[in-house]
Amino acid sequence: MKNLFNNTEVAFALKNNKELKRAHFLFKMISKPTLVKLGSSLANFAIKTHLPVTGLIRSTVFDHFCGGISEDDCLTVVDNMYAKGGVASVLDYSVEGKETEKQFDAALNMTIKTIEYAKQRPDSIPFAVFKPTGFGRFDMFVKKGEKVAFTAEEEKEWERIVYRFNMACKFAYNNDVLLLIDAEHSWMQDAADDIVLDMMRKYNKEKALIYNTAQMYRWDRLQYLKDLHAIAKAEGFHVGMKVVRGAYMEVERERATERGYKSPICVDKAATDVNYDAGVTYMLENIDSMAIFAGTHNEKSSYLIMDLMEKHNISHTDRRLYFGQLYGMSDNISFNLAKEKFNVAKYLPFGPVRDVIPYLIRRAEENTSVAGQTNRELDLIETELKRRKL
């Protein structure tokens, strides 16, 4: 299966010629760092000054990378991907940077709603997901992680954050739905990790239902995985983990330089790759007490996981292992894996266009910083366009 990911007919079966050409145009734009910088600044400016740009954004970058503006909007995409391609979805409410209690309660309600959707469609929507800062202010996580004393007011605010986490995890547990909790910036992550550890202790006794996220571009995450596993074995619960490379590299390095501490990020891409592969290898060797959502757009890592599954006699359909990619990217990995009956789920972001722009900007910047990724997407799209012409 060594050339599995070169099959463009399977990869783009769900895209018509018009959608394929739009994808080609977008990745062409994304491959130019100066354009991405300019586009990001203009998008931010347009949103702040309420310029009428949502139509343009919706018909181009939004429709390529997002499932819709509401959870109901996404269902057509969900059903289409699963019925025609065997690829499941993770409904991801991608609204970021909110600050009020009302907004945090709304995010909890939305998470509950997506858990209900997942319960109704366990095959096509196997996971629900939320971001820690969807449930509370970023600064609160930082303060808690740095062990800075809270005021009486903040103490109550923190209790509400933990309450929201527990409400989502308890609801997922009661409905037997797998729940992913995303990772964010390293300087707020310790506090989030501590809450998720408590949720695993509570709800992962029989199997892994609650998943934390390990960003393997952090050199300390392999040890974190091993330490967490040791706690789980000693206390009798399962570890669920989404393993990704990471999405905040530039910001992490800049902050470390500004503040004069050692960067939490691996020295280079090669070191990150080694760390990622070591993480998934460790988890697959301990599959009896760990469940893994392998979030990767990397073909080598995907082949490695397939080889390890064979080595450890893990069936393609074992629910303790899912491959994951983002909607609008790496269709060659997602759909070709699904054709071989592996469990695959695409992250399907949704939300009002204006609110999802920070997410879209991050996607564009991420693609620009991993040059090989964008070129690979372009090559595959061009191959498929040529194949269709012939």
Side-chain angles (χ1 to χ4, degrees), residues 207-208 211 222 224-230 232-233 237-241 243 279-293 318-321:
K207 62 179 178 183
Y211 286 60
L222 183 59
Y224 159 76
L225 253 182
K226 291 176 178 176
D227 293 344
L228 178 63
H229 188 220
K233 280 195 291 190
F237 64 89
H238 293 257
V239 170
M241 193 63 65
V243 186
V280 293
T281 301
Y282 181 81
M283 289 194 74
L284 287 163
E285 284 167 353
N286 293 283
I287 195 80
D288 291 339
S289 52
M290 304 182 101
I292 177 172
F293 184 96
D318 191 317
R319 300 272 289 183
R320 293 171 300 181
L321 192 141

PDB file of all heavy atoms in Angstrom, residues 207-208 211 222 224-230 232-233 237-241 243 279-293 318-321:
ATOM      1  N   LYS A 207     -13.546   2.688  29.391  1.00  0.00           N
ATOM      2  CA  LYS A 207     -12.850   2.859  28.107  1.00  0.00           C
ATOM      3  C   LYS A 207     -12.546   4.340  27.949  1.00  0.00           C
ATOM      4  O   LYS A 207     -13.038   5.169  28.723  1.00  0.00           O
ATOM      5  CB  LYS A 207     -13.730   2.360  26.946  1.00  0.00           C
ATOM      6  CG  LYS A 207     -15.033   3.132  26.787  1.00  0.00           C
ATOM      7  CD  LYS A 207     -15.851   2.613  25.613  1.00  0.00           C
ATOM      8  CE  LYS A 207     -17.162   3.367  25.491  1.00  0.00           C
ATOM      9  NZ  LYS A 207     -18.029   2.879  24.436  1.00  0.00           N
ATOM     10  N   ALA A 208     -11.768   4.681  26.932  1.00  0.00           N
ATOM     11  CA  ALA A 208     -11.438   6.097  26.706  1.00  0.00           C
ATOM     12  C   ALA A 208     -12.602   6.774  25.990  1.00  0.00           C
ATOM     13  O   ALA A 208     -12.915   6.443  24.854  1.00  0.00           O
ATOM     14  CB  ALA A 208     -10.166   6.211  25.881  1.00  0.00           C
ATOM     15  N   TYR A 211     -10.922  12.658  25.499  1.00  0.00           N
ATOM     16  CA  TYR A 211      -9.588  12.726  24.879  1.00  0.00           C
ATOM     17  C   TYR A 211      -8.984  14.109  25.106  1.00  0.00           C
ATOM     18  O   TYR A 211      -9.624  15.119  24.805  1.00  0.00           O
ATOM     19  CB  TYR A 211      -9.691  12.549  23.361  1.00  0.00           C
ATOM     20  CG  TYR A 211      -9.981  11.163  22.849  1.00  0.00           C
ATOM     21  CD1 TYR A 211     -11.144  10.478  23.212  1.00  0.00           C
ATOM     22  CD2 TYR A 211      -9.112  10.538  21.952  1.00  0.00           C
ATOM     23  CE1 TYR A 211     -11.428   9.213  22.700  1.00  0.00           C
ATOM     24  CE2 TYR A 211      -9.386   9.273  21.433  1.00  0.00           C
ATOM     25  CZ  TYR A 211     -10.542   8.616  21.820  1.00  0.00           C
ATOM     26  OH  TYR A 211     -10.826   7.366  21.305  1.00  0.00           O
ATOM     27  N   LEU A 222       6.104  14.009  24.695  1.00  0.00           N
ATOM     28  CA  LEU A 222       6.269  12.552  24.752  1.00  0.00           C
ATOM     29  C   LEU A 222       6.329  12.108  26.216  1.00  0.00           C
ATOM     30  O   LEU A 222       5.680  11.139  26.614  1.00  0.00           O
ATOM     31  CB  LEU A 222       7.532  12.116  23.988  1.00  0.00           C
ATOM     32  CG  LEU A 222       7.766  10.607  23.915  1.00  0.00           C
ATOM     33  CD1 LEU A 222       6.604   9.885  23.236  1.00  0.00           C
ATOM     34  CD2 LEU A 222       9.071  10.296  23.184  1.00  0.00           C
ATOM     35  N   TYR A 224       5.136  13.794  28.717  1.00  0.00           N
ATOM     36  CA  TYR A 224       3.791  14.050  29.263  1.00  0.00           C
ATOM     37  C   TYR A 224       2.878  12.842  29.014  1.00  0.00           C
ATOM     38  O   TYR A 224       2.144  12.393  29.906  1.00  0.00           O
ATOM     39  CB  TYR A 224       3.203  15.318  28.625  1.00  0.00           C
ATOM     40  CG  TYR A 224       1.693  15.419  28.705  1.00  0.00           C
ATOM     41  CD1 TYR A 224       1.060  15.774  29.901  1.00  0.00           C
ATOM     42  CD2 TYR A 224       0.891  15.134  27.587  1.00  0.00           C
ATOM     43  CE1 TYR A 224      -0.332  15.842  29.980  1.00  0.00           C
ATOM     44  CE2 TYR A 224      -0.492  15.194  27.655  1.00  0.00           C
ATOM     45  CZ  TYR A 224      -1.105  15.544  28.852  1.00  0.00           C
ATOM     46  OH  TYR A 224      -2.479  15.598  28.931  1.00  0.00           O
ATOM     47  N   LEU A 225       2.933  12.304  27.788  1.00  0.00           N
ATOM     48  CA  LEU A 225       2.127  11.128  27.421  1.00  0.00           C
ATOM     49  C   LEU A 225       2.447   9.940  28.322  1.00  0.00           C
ATOM     50  O   LEU A 225       1.550   9.262  28.829  1.00  0.00           O
ATOM     51  CB  LEU A 225       2.444  10.729  25.978  1.00  0.00           C
ATOM     52  CG  LEU A 225       1.434  11.006  24.880  1.00  0.00           C
ATOM     53  CD1 LEU A 225       1.959  10.471  23.559  1.00  0.00           C
ATOM     54  CD2 LEU A 225       0.077  10.397  25.168  1.00  0.00           C
ATOM     55  N   LYS A 226       3.744   9.705  28.513  1.00  0.00           N
ATOM     56  CA  LYS A 226       4.192   8.565  29.323  1.00  0.00           C
ATOM     57  C   LYS A 226       3.798   8.743  30.790  1.00  0.00           C
ATOM     58  O   LYS A 226       3.360   7.793  31.445  1.00  0.00           O
ATOM     59  CB  LYS A 226       5.707   8.370  29.178  1.00  0.00           C
ATOM     60  CG  LYS A 226       6.103   7.890  27.789  1.00  0.00           C
ATOM     61  CD  LYS A 226       7.622   7.795  27.627  1.00  0.00           C
ATOM     62  CE  LYS A 226       7.982   7.262  26.240  1.00  0.00           C
ATOM     63  NZ  LYS A 226       9.435   7.238  26.003  1.00  0.00           N
ATOM     64  N   ASP A 227       3.943   9.975  31.300  1.00  0.00           N
ATOM     65  CA  ASP A 227       3.571  10.252  32.701  1.00  0.00           C
ATOM     66  C   ASP A 227       2.074  10.069  32.916  1.00  0.00           C
ATOM     67  O   ASP A 227       1.638   9.496  33.916  1.00  0.00           O
ATOM     68  CB  ASP A 227       3.977  11.682  33.100  1.00  0.00           C
ATOM     69  CG  ASP A 227       5.493  11.864  33.135  1.00  0.00           C
ATOM     70  OD1 ASP A 227       6.209  10.841  33.154  1.00  0.00           O
ATOM     71  OD2 ASP A 227       5.959  13.032  33.144  1.00  0.00           O
ATOM     72  N   LEU A 228       1.290  10.567  31.949  1.00  0.00           N
ATOM     73  CA  LEU A 228      -0.170  10.439  32.027  1.00  0.00           C
ATOM     74  C   LEU A 228      -0.570   8.960  32.014  1.00  0.00           C
ATOM     75  O   LEU A 228      -1.442   8.524  32.776  1.00  0.00           O
ATOM     76  CB  LEU A 228      -0.819  11.176  30.849  1.00  0.00           C
ATOM     77  CG  LEU A 228      -2.346  11.112  30.739  1.00  0.00           C
ATOM     78  CD1 LEU A 228      -3.017  11.771  31.937  1.00  0.00           C
ATOM     79  CD2 LEU A 228      -2.832  11.789  29.454  1.00  0.00           C
ATOM     80  N   HIS A 229       0.097   8.188  31.171  1.00  0.00           N
ATOM     81  CA  HIS A 229      -0.189   6.756  31.082  1.00  0.00           C
ATOM     82  C   HIS A 229       0.123   6.051  32.407  1.00  0.00           C
ATOM     83  O   HIS A 229      -0.631   5.174  32.858  1.00  0.00           O
ATOM     84  CB  HIS A 229       0.616   6.141  29.929  1.00  0.00           C
ATOM     85  CG  HIS A 229       0.254   4.729  29.645  1.00  0.00           C
ATOM     86  ND1 HIS A 229       1.183   3.763  29.324  1.00  0.00           N
ATOM     87  CD2 HIS A 229      -0.958   4.092  29.652  1.00  0.00           C
ATOM     88  CE1 HIS A 229       0.566   2.611  29.132  1.00  0.00           C
ATOM     89  NE2 HIS A 229      -0.727   2.779  29.329  1.00  0.00           N
ATOM     90  N   ALA A 230       1.229   6.455  33.045  1.00  0.00           N
ATOM     91  CA  ALA A 230       1.612   5.859  34.344  1.00  0.00           C
ATOM     92  C   ALA A 230       0.532   6.155  35.396  1.00  0.00           C
ATOM     93  O   ALA A 230       0.147   5.271  36.177  1.00  0.00           O
ATOM     94  CB  ALA A 230       2.964   6.411  34.794  1.00  0.00           C
ATOM     95  N   ALA A 232      -2.626   6.789  34.775  1.00  0.00           N
ATOM     96  CA  ALA A 232      -3.819   6.032  34.381  1.00  0.00           C
ATOM     97  C   ALA A 232      -3.718   4.565  34.816  1.00  0.00           C
ATOM     98  O   ALA A 232      -4.695   3.992  35.317  1.00  0.00           O
ATOM     99  CB  ALA A 232      -4.008   6.124  32.873  1.00  0.00           C
ATOM    100  N   LYS A 233      -2.537   3.982  34.634  1.00  0.00           N
ATOM    101  CA  LYS A 233      -2.361   2.570  35.026  1.00  0.00           C
ATOM    102  C   LYS A 233      -2.475   2.410  36.540  1.00  0.00           C
ATOM    103  O   LYS A 233      -3.104   1.486  37.034  1.00  0.00           O
ATOM    104  CB  LYS A 233      -1.003   2.056  34.531  1.00  0.00           C
ATOM    105  CG  LYS A 233      -1.015   1.680  33.046  1.00  0.00           C
ATOM    106  CD  LYS A 233       0.188   0.842  32.633  1.00  0.00           C
ATOM    107  CE  LYS A 233       1.473   1.655  32.666  1.00  0.00           C
ATOM    108  NZ  LYS A 233       2.612   0.952  32.041  1.00  0.00           N
ATOM    109  N   PHE A 237      -7.697   3.978  34.941  1.00  0.00           N
ATOM    110  CA  PHE A 237      -8.551   4.560  33.903  1.00  0.00           C
ATOM    111  C   PHE A 237      -7.823   4.518  32.556  1.00  0.00           C
ATOM    112  O   PHE A 237      -6.636   4.208  32.493  1.00  0.00           O
ATOM    113  CB  PHE A 237      -9.003   5.993  34.255  1.00  0.00           C
ATOM    114  CG  PHE A 237      -7.893   7.010  34.362  1.00  0.00           C
ATOM    115  CD1 PHE A 237      -7.470   7.736  33.246  1.00  0.00           C
ATOM    116  CD2 PHE A 237      -7.279   7.281  35.592  1.00  0.00           C
ATOM    117  CE1 PHE A 237      -6.459   8.690  33.333  1.00  0.00           C
ATOM    118  CE2 PHE A 237      -6.260   8.231  35.699  1.00  0.00           C
ATOM    119  CZ  PHE A 237      -5.857   8.932  34.572  1.00  0.00           C
ATOM    120  N   HIS A 238      -8.560   4.788  31.482  1.00  0.00           N
ATOM    121  CA  HIS A 238      -7.987   4.758  30.133  1.00  0.00           C
ATOM    122  C   HIS A 238      -7.589   6.169  29.695  1.00  0.00           C
ATOM    123  O   HIS A 238      -8.242   7.139  30.073  1.00  0.00           O
ATOM    124  CB  HIS A 238      -9.002   4.204  29.133  1.00  0.00           C
ATOM    125  CG  HIS A 238      -9.307   2.749  29.359  1.00  0.00           C
ATOM    126  ND1 HIS A 238      -8.788   1.749  28.572  1.00  0.00           N
ATOM    127  CD2 HIS A 238     -10.076   2.142  30.305  1.00  0.00           C
ATOM    128  CE1 HIS A 238      -9.227   0.580  29.021  1.00  0.00           C
ATOM    129  NE2 HIS A 238     -10.014   0.788  30.065  1.00  0.00           N
ATOM    130  N   VAL A 239      -6.563   6.242  28.851  1.00  0.00           N
ATOM    131  CA  VAL A 239      -6.126   7.530  28.299  1.00  0.00           C
ATOM    132  C   VAL A 239      -6.679   7.661  26.887  1.00  0.00           C
ATOM    133  O   VAL A 239      -6.493   6.772  26.047  1.00  0.00           O
ATOM    134  CB  VAL A 239      -4.581   7.630  28.254  1.00  0.00           C
ATOM    135  CG1 VAL A 239      -4.136   8.865  27.466  1.00  0.00           C
ATOM    136  CG2 VAL A 239      -4.014   7.679  29.663  1.00  0.00           C
ATOM    137  N   GLY A 240      -7.360   8.775  26.608  1.00  0.00           N
ATOM    138  CA  GLY A 240      -7.740   9.118  25.248  1.00  0.00           C
ATOM    139  C   GLY A 240      -6.887  10.301  24.825  1.00  0.00           C
ATOM    140  O   GLY A 240      -6.720  11.254  25.590  1.00  0.00           O
ATOM    141  N   MET A 241      -6.299  10.252  23.635  1.00  0.00           N
ATOM    142  CA  MET A 241      -5.425  11.354  23.222  1.00  0.00           C
ATOM    143  C   MET A 241      -5.515  11.609  21.732  1.00  0.00           C
ATOM    144  O   MET A 241      -5.384  10.693  20.917  1.00  0.00           O
ATOM    145  CB  MET A 241      -3.969  11.033  23.586  1.00  0.00           C
ATOM    146  CG  MET A 241      -3.024  12.213  23.500  1.00  0.00           C
ATOM    147  SD  MET A 241      -3.388  13.580  24.652  1.00  0.00           S
ATOM    148  CE  MET A 241      -3.098  12.787  26.239  1.00  0.00           C
ATOM    149  N   VAL A 243      -3.434  13.143  18.953  1.00  0.00           N
ATOM    150  CA  VAL A 243      -2.007  13.460  18.776  1.00  0.00           C
ATOM    151  C   VAL A 243      -1.859  14.249  17.480  1.00  0.00           C
ATOM    152  O   VAL A 243      -2.229  13.779  16.402  1.00  0.00           O
ATOM    153  CB  VAL A 243      -1.163  12.167  18.727  1.00  0.00           C
ATOM    154  CG1 VAL A 243       0.313  12.496  18.683  1.00  0.00           C
ATOM    155  CG2 VAL A 243      -1.452  11.298  19.947  1.00  0.00           C
ATOM    156  N   GLY A 279       5.384   9.366  19.664  1.00  0.00           N
ATOM    157  CA  GLY A 279       4.132   9.456  20.426  1.00  0.00           C
ATOM    158  C   GLY A 279       3.103   8.435  19.970  1.00  0.00           C
ATOM    159  O   GLY A 279       2.530   7.698  20.787  1.00  0.00           O
ATOM    160  N   VAL A 280       2.873   8.365  18.643  1.00  0.00           N
ATOM    161  CA  VAL A 280       1.873   7.404  18.147  1.00  0.00           C
ATOM    162  C   VAL A 280       2.357   5.962  18.333  1.00  0.00           C
ATOM    163  O   VAL A 280       1.560   5.068  18.625  1.00  0.00           O
ATOM    164  CB  VAL A 280       1.459   7.669  16.669  1.00  0.00           C
ATOM    165  CG1 VAL A 280       0.705   8.984  16.551  1.00  0.00           C
ATOM    166  CG2 VAL A 280       2.632   7.622  15.710  1.00  0.00           C
ATOM    167  N   THR A 281       3.667   5.741  18.215  1.00  0.00           N
ATOM    168  CA  THR A 281       4.230   4.396  18.426  1.00  0.00           C
ATOM    169  C   THR A 281       3.982   3.949  19.861  1.00  0.00           C
ATOM    170  O   THR A 281       3.509   2.842  20.113  1.00  0.00           O
ATOM    171  CB  THR A 281       5.751   4.372  18.114  1.00  0.00           C
ATOM    172  OG1 THR A 281       5.952   4.781  16.759  1.00  0.00           O
ATOM    173  CG2 THR A 281       6.345   2.982  18.322  1.00  0.00           C
ATOM    174  N   TYR A 282       4.279   4.844  20.808  1.00  0.00           N
ATOM    175  CA  TYR A 282       4.068   4.521  22.234  1.00  0.00           C
ATOM    176  C   TYR A 282       2.596   4.173  22.502  1.00  0.00           C
ATOM    177  O   TYR A 282       2.289   3.200  23.185  1.00  0.00           O
ATOM    178  CB  TYR A 282       4.500   5.704  23.115  1.00  0.00           C
ATOM    179  CG  TYR A 282       4.318   5.419  24.597  1.00  0.00           C
ATOM    180  CD1 TYR A 282       5.269   4.681  25.303  1.00  0.00           C
ATOM    181  CD2 TYR A 282       3.171   5.853  25.276  1.00  0.00           C
ATOM    182  CE1 TYR A 282       5.094   4.389  26.654  1.00  0.00           C
ATOM    183  CE2 TYR A 282       2.988   5.561  26.620  1.00  0.00           C
ATOM    184  CZ  TYR A 282       3.951   4.831  27.300  1.00  0.00           C
ATOM    185  OH  TYR A 282       3.766   4.528  28.633  1.00  0.00           O
ATOM    186  N   MET A 283       1.698   4.963  21.929  1.00  0.00           N
ATOM    187  CA  MET A 283       0.276   4.730  22.183  1.00  0.00           C
ATOM    188  C   MET A 283      -0.208   3.417  21.558  1.00  0.00           C
ATOM    189  O   MET A 283      -0.974   2.676  22.165  1.00  0.00           O
ATOM    190  CB  MET A 283      -0.557   5.906  21.673  1.00  0.00           C
ATOM    191  CG  MET A 283      -0.384   7.160  22.519  1.00  0.00           C
ATOM    192  SD  MET A 283      -1.643   8.405  22.182  1.00  0.00           S
ATOM    193  CE  MET A 283      -3.071   7.683  22.986  1.00  0.00           C
ATOM    194  N   LEU A 284       0.258   3.124  20.347  1.00  0.00           N
ATOM    195  CA  LEU A 284      -0.174   1.888  19.694  1.00  0.00           C
ATOM    196  C   LEU A 284       0.403   0.651  20.376  1.00  0.00           C
ATOM    197  O   LEU A 284      -0.205  -0.421  20.363  1.00  0.00           O
ATOM    198  CB  LEU A 284       0.196   1.913  18.210  1.00  0.00           C
ATOM    199  CG  LEU A 284      -0.690   2.866  17.388  1.00  0.00           C
ATOM    200  CD1 LEU A 284      -0.063   3.197  16.049  1.00  0.00           C
ATOM    201  CD2 LEU A 284      -2.077   2.285  17.178  1.00  0.00           C
ATOM    202  N   GLU A 285       1.563   0.829  21.000  1.00  0.00           N
ATOM    203  CA  GLU A 285       2.140  -0.292  21.774  1.00  0.00           C
ATOM    204  C   GLU A 285       1.358  -0.532  23.062  1.00  0.00           C
ATOM    205  O   GLU A 285       1.478  -1.575  23.697  1.00  0.00           O
ATOM    206  CB  GLU A 285       3.618  -0.013  22.092  1.00  0.00           C
ATOM    207  CG  GLU A 285       4.532  -0.231  20.893  1.00  0.00           C
ATOM    208  CD  GLU A 285       5.935   0.346  21.100  1.00  0.00           C
ATOM    209  OE1 GLU A 285       6.158   1.033  22.132  1.00  0.00           O
ATOM    210  OE2 GLU A 285       6.795   0.132  20.225  1.00  0.00           O
ATOM    211  N   ASN A 286       0.576   0.489  23.470  1.00  0.00           N
ATOM    212  CA  ASN A 286      -0.198   0.390  24.718  1.00  0.00           C
ATOM    213  C   ASN A 286      -1.696   0.556  24.462  1.00  0.00           C
ATOM    214  O   ASN A 286      -2.423   1.099  25.290  1.00  0.00           O
ATOM    215  CB  ASN A 286       0.299   1.454  25.708  1.00  0.00           C
ATOM    216  CG  ASN A 286       1.712   1.186  26.180  1.00  0.00           C
ATOM    217  OD1 ASN A 286       1.938   0.324  27.021  1.00  0.00           O
ATOM    218  ND2 ASN A 286       2.673   1.900  25.621  1.00  0.00           N
ATOM    219  N   ILE A 287      -2.135   0.042  23.313  1.00  0.00           N
ATOM    220  CA  ILE A 287      -3.518   0.249  22.874  1.00  0.00           C
ATOM    221  C   ILE A 287      -4.547  -0.335  23.857  1.00  0.00           C
ATOM    222  O   ILE A 287      -5.697   0.099  23.882  1.00  0.00           O
ATOM    223  CB  ILE A 287      -3.719  -0.313  21.438  1.00  0.00           C
ATOM    224  CG1 ILE A 287      -5.029   0.198  20.799  1.00  0.00           C
ATOM    225  CG2 ILE A 287      -3.701  -1.836  21.429  1.00  0.00           C
ATOM    226  CD1 ILE A 287      -4.973   1.569  20.231  1.00  0.00           C
ATOM    227  N   ASP A 288      -4.136  -1.273  24.702  1.00  0.00           N
ATOM    228  CA  ASP A 288      -5.084  -1.861  25.651  1.00  0.00           C
ATOM    229  C   ASP A 288      -5.572  -0.862  26.695  1.00  0.00           C
ATOM    230  O   ASP A 288      -6.651  -1.028  27.260  1.00  0.00           O
ATOM    231  CB  ASP A 288      -4.465  -3.079  26.367  1.00  0.00           C
ATOM    232  CG  ASP A 288      -4.286  -4.239  25.394  1.00  0.00           C
ATOM    233  OD1 ASP A 288      -4.975  -4.241  24.356  1.00  0.00           O
ATOM    234  OD2 ASP A 288      -3.454  -5.128  25.661  1.00  0.00           O
ATOM    235  N   SER A 289      -4.771   0.183  26.931  1.00  0.00           N
ATOM    236  CA  SER A 289      -5.211   1.171  27.929  1.00  0.00           C
ATOM    237  C   SER A 289      -5.211   2.599  27.370  1.00  0.00           C
ATOM    238  O   SER A 289      -5.366   3.570  28.101  1.00  0.00           O
ATOM    239  CB  SER A 289      -4.303   1.112  29.163  1.00  0.00           C
ATOM    240  OG  SER A 289      -2.950   1.213  28.776  1.00  0.00           O
ATOM    241  N   MET A 290      -5.020   2.719  26.049  1.00  0.00           N
ATOM    242  CA  MET A 290      -4.985   4.037  25.423  1.00  0.00           C
ATOM    243  C   MET A 290      -5.792   4.019  24.121  1.00  0.00           C
ATOM    244  O   MET A 290      -5.842   2.999  23.442  1.00  0.00           O
ATOM    245  CB  MET A 290      -3.537   4.457  25.109  1.00  0.00           C
ATOM    246  CG  MET A 290      -2.611   4.460  26.305  1.00  0.00           C
ATOM    247  SD  MET A 290      -0.924   5.022  25.883  1.00  0.00           S
ATOM    248  CE  MET A 290      -0.957   6.706  26.454  1.00  0.00           C
ATOM    249  N   ALA A 291      -6.429   5.143  23.795  1.00  0.00           N
ATOM    250  CA  ALA A 291      -7.127   5.271  22.507  1.00  0.00           C
ATOM    251  C   ALA A 291      -6.582   6.519  21.822  1.00  0.00           C
ATOM    252  O   ALA A 291      -6.303   7.528  22.478  1.00  0.00           O
ATOM    253  CB  ALA A 291      -8.629   5.396  22.726  1.00  0.00           C
ATOM    254  N   ILE A 292      -6.430   6.434  20.518  1.00  0.00           N
ATOM    255  CA  ILE A 292      -5.715   7.498  19.812  1.00  0.00           C
ATOM    256  C   ILE A 292      -6.514   8.055  18.629  1.00  0.00           C
ATOM    257  O   ILE A 292      -7.094   7.316  17.842  1.00  0.00           O
ATOM    258  CB  ILE A 292      -4.320   6.978  19.345  1.00  0.00           C
ATOM    259  CG1 ILE A 292      -3.571   8.024  18.531  1.00  0.00           C
ATOM    260  CG2 ILE A 292      -4.457   5.693  18.548  1.00  0.00           C
ATOM    261  CD1 ILE A 292      -2.137   7.629  18.215  1.00  0.00           C
ATOM    262  N   PHE A 293      -6.537   9.384  18.563  1.00  0.00           N
ATOM    263  CA  PHE A 293      -7.041  10.084  17.389  1.00  0.00           C
ATOM    264  C   PHE A 293      -5.793  10.683  16.750  1.00  0.00           C
ATOM    265  O   PHE A 293      -5.240  11.661  17.260  1.00  0.00           O
ATOM    266  CB  PHE A 293      -8.037  11.179  17.806  1.00  0.00           C
ATOM    267  CG  PHE A 293      -8.683  11.905  16.648  1.00  0.00           C
ATOM    268  CD1 PHE A 293      -9.928  11.529  16.176  1.00  0.00           C
ATOM    269  CD2 PHE A 293      -8.041  12.982  16.030  1.00  0.00           C
ATOM    270  CE1 PHE A 293     -10.545  12.204  15.114  1.00  0.00           C
ATOM    271  CE2 PHE A 293      -8.635  13.663  14.971  1.00  0.00           C
ATOM    272  CZ  PHE A 293      -9.890  13.279  14.509  1.00  0.00           C
ATOM    273  N   ASP A 318     -10.983  -0.932  14.396  1.00  0.00           N
ATOM    274  CA  ASP A 318     -10.904  -0.819  15.863  1.00  0.00           C
ATOM    275  C   ASP A 318     -11.201   0.624  16.281  1.00  0.00           C
ATOM    276  O   ASP A 318     -10.498   1.549  15.867  1.00  0.00           O
ATOM    277  CB  ASP A 318      -9.500  -1.229  16.328  1.00  0.00           C
ATOM    278  CG  ASP A 318      -9.403  -1.403  17.847  1.00  0.00           C
ATOM    279  OD1 ASP A 318      -9.946  -0.553  18.575  1.00  0.00           O
ATOM    280  OD2 ASP A 318      -8.780  -2.381  18.288  1.00  0.00           O
ATOM    281  N   ARG A 319     -12.245   0.801  17.091  1.00  0.00           N
ATOM    282  CA  ARG A 319     -12.693   2.160  17.450  1.00  0.00           C
ATOM    283  C   ARG A 319     -11.688   2.909  18.341  1.00  0.00           C
ATOM    284  O   ARG A 319     -11.861   4.099  18.597  1.00  0.00           O
ATOM    285  CB  ARG A 319     -14.048   2.099  18.175  1.00  0.00           C
ATOM    286  CG  ARG A 319     -15.166   1.475  17.365  1.00  0.00           C
ATOM    287  CD  ARG A 319     -15.913   2.445  16.500  1.00  0.00           C
ATOM    288  NE  ARG A 319     -16.746   3.366  17.246  1.00  0.00           N
ATOM    289  CZ  ARG A 319     -17.543   4.266  16.691  1.00  0.00           C
ATOM    290  NH1 ARG A 319     -17.617   4.348  15.372  1.00  0.00           N
ATOM    291  NH2 ARG A 319     -18.268   5.089  17.409  1.00  0.00           N
ATOM    292  N   ARG A 320     -10.668   2.220  18.809  1.00  0.00           N
ATOM    293  CA  ARG A 320      -9.663   2.904  19.641  1.00  0.00           C
ATOM    294  C   ARG A 320      -8.652   3.664  18.789  1.00  0.00           C
ATOM    295  O   ARG A 320      -7.771   4.335  19.322  1.00  0.00           O
ATOM    296  CB  ARG A 320      -8.929   1.898  20.532  1.00  0.00           C
ATOM    297  CG  ARG A 320      -9.813   1.264  21.598  1.00  0.00           C
ATOM    298  CD  ARG A 320      -9.107   0.125  22.291  1.00  0.00           C
ATOM    299  NE  ARG A 320      -8.736  -0.939  21.347  1.00  0.00           N
ATOM    300  CZ  ARG A 320      -8.112  -2.070  21.703  1.00  0.00           C
ATOM    301  NH1 ARG A 320      -7.792  -2.267  22.964  1.00  0.00           N
ATOM    302  NH2 ARG A 320      -7.808  -2.985  20.799  1.00  0.00           N
ATOM    303  N   LEU A 321      -8.774   3.544  17.460  1.00  0.00           N
ATOM    304  CA  LEU A 321      -7.852   4.293  16.605  1.00  0.00           C
ATOM    305  C   LEU A 321      -8.585   4.950  15.437  1.00  0.00           C
ATOM    306  O   LEU A 321      -9.242   4.277  14.654  1.00  0.00           O
ATOM    307  CB  LEU A 321      -6.737   3.392  16.062  1.00  0.00           C
ATOM    308  CG  LEU A 321      -5.626   4.230  15.408  1.00  0.00           C
ATOM    309  CD1 LEU A 321      -4.261   3.676  15.707  1.00  0.00           C
ATOM    310  CD2 LEU A 321      -5.806   4.373  13.904  1.00  0.00           C
TER     311      LEU A 321
END
